[in-house]
Amino acid sequence: MLAGASLVAVSGAAQAQGQAASPSDPATALQDASDDSTGEIIVTAQRRSERLRDVPIAITVVDGASIRETGANQLADITQRAPSLNFTATPGVPNFAIRGVGTNSFDYGIESAVGIAVDDVNITLPRFVPLNSLADVERVEVLRGPQGLLFGKNTTAGLISITTARPELGKLGSSGRVQVGERDQVQSQAVVNLPLGQNAALRVVGGYQYQRPVTELVGPGRLDPVRRWFGTAKLLWEPTDRLSLYAIADYQKNSGIEAYSTIRKFGGNDPTPIPAVLRPLAPANFVRVQNAARGVVASPTNNRTAIGSNDVVRDERSFGAQFIASYDAGAVAITSVTAYRDLTARANNDVDQTPIPFFDTNIANSQSNQFSQELRFNNNDRGFVDYTAGLYYFRQHIEAQILQAGTFGVFPASTPVRLSPVNGQSNFDYDTKSYAAFAQLTFNLTPELRLIAGGRYTRDEIDSTTTVTRVAGVCNLVTFLLSGGRNCVGTLAAPITAARGVAGFSGRAGIEYAIGTANLYATYTRGYKGPAISSAAGVAFAVDPEKVDAYEVGVKADLLDRRLSLNIAGFINDFRDFQAQVFDPALNGGLGSFRTGNASTLKTRGVEAEATVRPARGFSLTGGVTYLDTEYGDYNVACYFGQTAAQGCSLPGPSFNAAGSPLVGASKWTTSLAASVDQPVGDALRLFANADWRYRSSFYYAINDPNTIQPGFSVVNATVGIGDVDGRARVSVFVRNLFDQRYAAAIFPGNFSAGQYVQSLPDNAFRRIGAAFEWRF
């Protein structure tokens, strides 16, 4: 049993979240993470506190403090401890995927199949991954499979639920961490807990991060270093034993970029569809020539980019506030969660991969906000029926502006006039309202046997308007060329307006049976992801809701007096109307174009296993494995470079039917292993060390395109340190990506050279050695 445990999966910090731990104290949590305490693991995956073993959901629990100890600095780093979770840093569209399924669309109104909730609130703002720092995070629960029944919106693939530390009543204290590392990394965070009388407390968190981009820029522009500021204030007041009032306000400001795209493979001599006679300043093969002149050698490990006629810009500012009121009414606990968040984002990407202004203006600005109100009811004491029920209201408003322009080789760089594929700036105004009622019941038929039944009714209402406005100094490319330079801007398209309202149902049914310290379960879940509106080529398109029928069987067991914990799950997910980029041959006068639409079906199936082994006090071994098989149904996508008719490239576009192809970004095998040691050294000191390893087998970044295969790779992190026996001060050294393993976070075709491929090598694809100091008092 112990030998087999090293082959199966587990959360890297599940053992840290026992009841005996003090999860709101990072230093204590770090110490407890390596303790062999037999305290139970407590999660809130079903909107109530329960033992992990009793929850009939496949869950990976990642302790925020233990992840910080490895030198991690953002939410995406939890993938190192969660085999079924992946993160794709697609430029401008960061994307989480669970069991291979995520949402990768440039449409602002398309929400992700993987939900993110912070302290009970779903965050759906476009192109935004909240909580860049892991400061003051108590735990992260990765819930696999549809979770929209209890967690609000659009979680057909799974949910990342983040719980931060609450203020502690009657305790004055502070904790923090300062970390420095290669590439000028500085990461600092501090927490202060202030008691306000006997029944109130204030907790203040602040921090700053800085690091240089990992990409080497050899062009004339600038890649700004990453700078992140964040601050949070949390106020907890418990005026009576029955009433709890909890308010949170946070602010984040991010700028700069960790990494930028580089050329993986040079293409041929055809840089653009514009005839050569019309682009005298962009001759054939100009991408290769411009890069070679600056020493760029295309390869899977190339980390040099020659962009730079315009500076790359990535800026975000986010503010959030929420108020949670909980009342114990005896038999019923009533919880109200009111939340607001806004986001202002500004970006510009130079996408021509050259230092000339061929196509260097790709401005994407957005202003978005969301408001949600949830009223939830739970029974307090366990009886024949346990229930969670509630009402939910959500509203989101998005305004976005996109401007794309360049010289396209028609003008010299010094010319102030720029050419655009459209008549100027595209403007999007998108408003969503959602109303829902939900309930989940657990029937405790016997102490061992339980039945589950639940449902959620949701109605979504959407209003969308798209307009194009003139911009001074910007001409329409087609109008300008066809008129021989006599006309600048053609007729502006009329505003594209659309509205729709759709109702949907999601549900859940299951059975649980307890045998000693083991729990067996089987569940069926109907997942639902709301509708959307996509605008393309002057037409608004209705995107139908995404649905999934998910079947899961599993067992969770604590054995050998909890020296061994096992979690095993098998699943089958059948998606219908999967929301994705599709090819529409009727657009652009029959030439066709791509837009967001619905693929017919998507099937995923697999097995996950998790385990924790605690062979001795102060030592733990955790590991994991996920096997995944995926397959698209009928789904027309663009042909890849070099694809022949014999390989299916025979549909308009040209495009091909991807039926039977594996899902983009989905590895067949993902495994992880982590070890932790914490031992006393004499009477005053403790030595601690941990290491983790994660392996992903090969996968595609574009459907069936052999040029976008990311070969299998492994990443190893390690930490060793020493501190006083009370955990008041600790110093450590760490290494991330010990073996300097290069891998791509994205691979995609280049824009202006047939057969060219571009990649993004993330910061974590480069080794970083550093040191940290932590305190607690």
Side-chain angles (χ1 to χ4, degrees), residues 410-591:
V410 177
F411 301 138
S414 58
T415 303
V417 176
R418 289 294 183 263
L419 302 174
S420 172
V422 296
N423 282 316
Q425 178 176 282
S426 298
N427 309 288
F428 302 91
D429 190 288
Y430 203 91
D431 191 79
T432 302
K433 294 179 182 178
S434 182
Y435 311 83
F438 60 91
Q440 177 172 293
L441 309 176
T442 300
F443 299 92
N444 301 298
L445 302 182
T446 72
E448 297 81 19
L449 181 62
R450 296 182 291 275
L451 298 180
I452 307 164
R456 183 186 189 97
Y457 174 83
T458 302
R459 178 168 177 81
D460 294 299
E461 297 177 354
I462 302 172
D463 291 286
S464 172
T465 301
T466 303
T467 59
V468 176
T469 55
R470 287 186 172 92
V471 176
V474 175
C475 293
N476 178 261
L477 173 64
V478 175
T479 300
F480 184 86
L481 293 179
L482 291 181
S483 67
R486 292 185 299 275
N487 297 324
C488 181
V489 178
T491 302
L492 293 178
I496 305 170
T497 60
R500 67 183 310 205
V502 177
F505 180 81
S506 41
R508 190 163 186 252
I511 184 171
E512 298 180 71
Y513 189 76
I515 304 176
T517 57
N519 188 36
L520 290 75
Y521 68 91
T523 60
Y524 162 76
T525 306
R526 163 64 65 85
Y528 173 84
K529 181 170 178 278
I533 296 173
S534 175
S535 299
V539 184
F541 297 91
V543 182
D544 292 331
E546 178 178 296
K547 306 179 186 69
V548 59
D549 291 314
Y551 308 87
E552 182 170 313
V553 296
V555 59
K556 299 183 178 183
D558 292 325
L559 306 172
L560 304 177
D561 195 25
R562 292 199 77 250
R563 297 293 179 182
L564 173 64
S565 297
L566 292 173
N567 302 319
I568 302 174
F571 60 89
I572 298 174
N573 295 334
D574 292 333
F575 287 82
R576 299 188 310 282
D577 293 324
F578 182 66
Q579 294 177 354
Q581 296 293 113
V582 299
F583 180 78
D584 189 334
L587 295 180
N588 288 332
L591 296 176

Side-chain angles (χ1 to χ4, degrees), residues 39-40 90 157 160 178 211 245 266 270 278 280 282 304 347 401 405 427 488 493 583 605 637 653 669 707 746:
E40 296 287 353
T90 305
I160 303 172
V178 176
Q211 66 187 54
L245 305 176
F266 283 124
D270 180 16
L278 300 178
R304 310 183 84 194
Q401 305 82 39
N427 309 288
C488 181
F583 180 78
R605 54 188 62 82
V637 298
W669 293 95
N707 297 289

